[in-house]
Amino acid sequence: MSDEGIGDRVSSLRLSRRDLLRAGALGAAGLGMATGARALKPKQAYTQQDGGPPVGHEMHGANVAVGTLRPGGFDPTAYLDRFDYGVVSTLPNGQTQRQYHIVATDQEIEVAPGIFFPAWTYNGQVPGPTLRCTEGDRLRVTFVNSGSHPHTIHFHGIHAANMDGVFEVVDPGKTFTYEFDAEPFGLQLYHCHAIPLKRHIHKGLYGTFIIDPKAGRPPAKEMVMMMNGFDTNFDGDNEVYAVNTVGFHYQDHPIELKVGELNRIYLVNMTEFDLINSFHLHGNFFRVYRTGTDLERFEWTDNVVLGQGERCVLEFTFKFPGRFMFHAHQSEFAELGWMGMFDVKGALNA
Ligand SMILES: [Cu+2]
């Protein structure tokens, strides 16, 4: 490309970044979430001036979120391997007990720089905290509903009917304690089951729930990835897609991996409104352990498709150093935020 061509591209990007920041600021001021959401759409990145027509050329694979997140908010990078093991004690019968405390609140969250969404949260974040335990542990989860609507926590797993978080709806200001043994081992999840379910889930009431096998899994760099989306203008369709809530976060902040090191992703799909979501890895293949409930049987592929509520454990090792994309293989989702990058360090592992 000639210098002139590069100059054109740079100046159009610079213009677009100002435009996008302005759009984001509008969103931040609560004047137009839909306006803010458009900041994620690729065509907006190539507008010559305010309201002007798109520039004649496109730049593929260069969709961006512009600006930075408000300090002090949810950090998707920290969320990757932040596990809540609860308050641990031993019961008289020798069983390990883990006590968790979860509070539902109404809280505005940032789903892309300057784009805010009025969420309902578990412990002030979307997704909620990743609860982690070992198969056979006794779990006691105290749930306080400090939100404005009735909620519950419905855990996936094997437990009694009255611990299922469906019929025992917890009204605002009320408390409920769920108590059950952790089984089976695998990658579970939890979410609100109050009705209308679609609304309570898309507002953000869900989280990952890992039950480790008693002997554990092989040592690895572990990452929790919740595929989700946000309907920022409430038209029944998502405007922003992500893993772990913030569109394009891991593109702007690549996840560092090492050549030859085992990586493990706990992948969960809680995307509302769309029938499926998917995870595709570049330059590599991974093992897929469906629901994480079997340590032996797996599928060897580079793309896995999940319906809502489905999850799987992915394991892979990089042979080559460099930057490798991971993203939804639905191009629309990828362009609206569900796009990330691994930055693999080290020498070729021949
Ligand atoms: Cu709810």
Side-chain angles (χ1 to χ4, degrees):
M1 183 183 285
S2 70
D3 287 345
E4 191 186 339
I6 290 171
D8 283 343
R9 179 176 287 187
V10 168
S11 78
S12 86
L13 275 174
R14 200 175 291 135
L15 265 179
S16 72
R17 284 181 178 238
R18 278 205 304 272
D19 293 342
L20 296 188
L21 280 169
R22 203 170 300 137
L26 281 173
L31 295 175
M33 280 189 184
T35 306
R38 280 206 310 275
L40 284 169
K41 291 192 176 175
K43 63 181 177 186
Q44 291 292 310
Y46 306 105
T47 301
Q48 253 173 333
Q49 55 195 24
D50 283 347
V55 173
H57 57 271
E58 290 182 33
M59 205 163 88
H60 296 286
N63 308 319
V64 290
V66 177
T68 54
L69 296 174
R70 180 174 54 181
F74 178 71
D75 178 357
T77 298
Y79 169 84
L80 284 171
D81 63 353
R82 185 166 290 170
F83 304 109
D84 184 349
Y85 288 93
V87 176
V88 182
S89 58
T90 304
L91 296 173
N93 67 0
Q95 192 178 14
T96 297
Q97 176 176 264
R98 297 180 190 273
Q99 293 178 270
Y100 302 89
H101 194 75
I102 294 185
V103 182
T105 55
D106 298 3
Q107 192 162 317
E108 190 176 67
I109 61 168
E110 200 171 8
V111 297
I115 301 173
F116 293 87
F117 177 77
W120 296 342
T121 75
Y122 288 129
N123 288 3
Q125 64 179 67
V126 178
T130 299
L131 307 185
R132 192 158 188 178
C133 60
T134 301
E135 187 177 34
D137 291 347
R138 168 60 54 91
L139 307 187
R140 271 179 67 87
V141 182
T142 304
F143 175 51
V144 179
N145 185 359
S146 295
S148 57
H149 291 72
H151 298 304
T152 71
I153 307 179
H154 162 67
F155 289 90
H156 286 220
I158 301 170
H159 47 241
N162 63 352
M163 292 292 137
D164 197 41
V166 173
F167 305 113
E168 292 74 17
V169 173
V170 185
D171 287 322
K174 301 292 189 200
T175 294
F176 189 90
T177 299
Y178 301 94
E179 187 163 9
F180 53 90
D181 289 345
E183 62 175 334
F185 80 77
L187 176 49
Q188 315 299 352
L189 71 153
Y190 64 91
H191 59 85
C192 181
H193 218 292
I195 51 169
L197 191 55
K198 189 162 73 171
R199 181 160 185 239
H200 285 249
I201 289 180
H202 124 261
K203 290 283 268 181
L205 288 168
Y206 48 79
T208 300
F209 171 37
I210 299 171
I211 304 179
D212 286 317
K214 282 182 177 157
R217 296 176 192 269
K221 176 178 173 61
E222 296 197 320
M223 296 161 271
V224 172
M225 293 196 186
M226 176 73 77
M227 301 192 286
N228 53 5
F230 297 92
D231 174 11
T232 55
N233 61 1
F234 306 102
D235 64 350
D237 204 2
N238 293 311
E239 277 69 46
V240 175
Y241 292 87
V243 272
N244 302 340
T245 299
V246 179
F248 295 116
H249 177 81
Y250 302 111
Q251 176 175 278
D252 298 340
H253 306 274
I255 300 171
E256 264 193 35
L257 302 180
K258 293 192 188 85
V259 164
E261 185 178 70
L262 179 64
N263 304 295
R264 178 177 299 120
I265 294 177
Y266 295 96
L267 181 70
V268 184
N269 179 23
M270 281 308 284
T271 313
E272 194 56 80
F273 306 122
D274 296 285
L275 295 180
I276 57 169
N277 205 327
S278 63
F279 179 102
H280 169 53
L281 177 61
H282 282 224
N284 210 342
F285 263 54
F286 48 72
R287 295 186 290 277
V288 178
Y289 298 88
R290 292 270 169 189
T291 323
T293 46
D294 190 319
L295 299 174
E296 305 297 328
R297 284 176 296 178
F298 61 84
E299 186 186 335
W300 176 237
T301 182
D302 64 0
N303 190 42
V304 61
V305 175
L306 301 178
Q308 192 191 44
E310 267 195 294
R311 61 272 183 203
C312 56
V313 176
L314 310 181
E315 288 187 355
F316 55 98
T317 303
F318 271 98
K319 178 178 177 182
F320 296 99
R323 290 204 163 193
F324 296 93
M325 281 180 166
F326 63 96
H327 58 87
H329 217 296
Q330 289 93 328
S331 309
E332 182 195 1
F333 295 5
E335 288 174 356
L336 291 175
W338 183 170
M339 166 63 72
M341 198 80 75
F342 289 122
D343 187 7
V344 185
K345 305 288 193 190
L348 171 67
N349 190 24

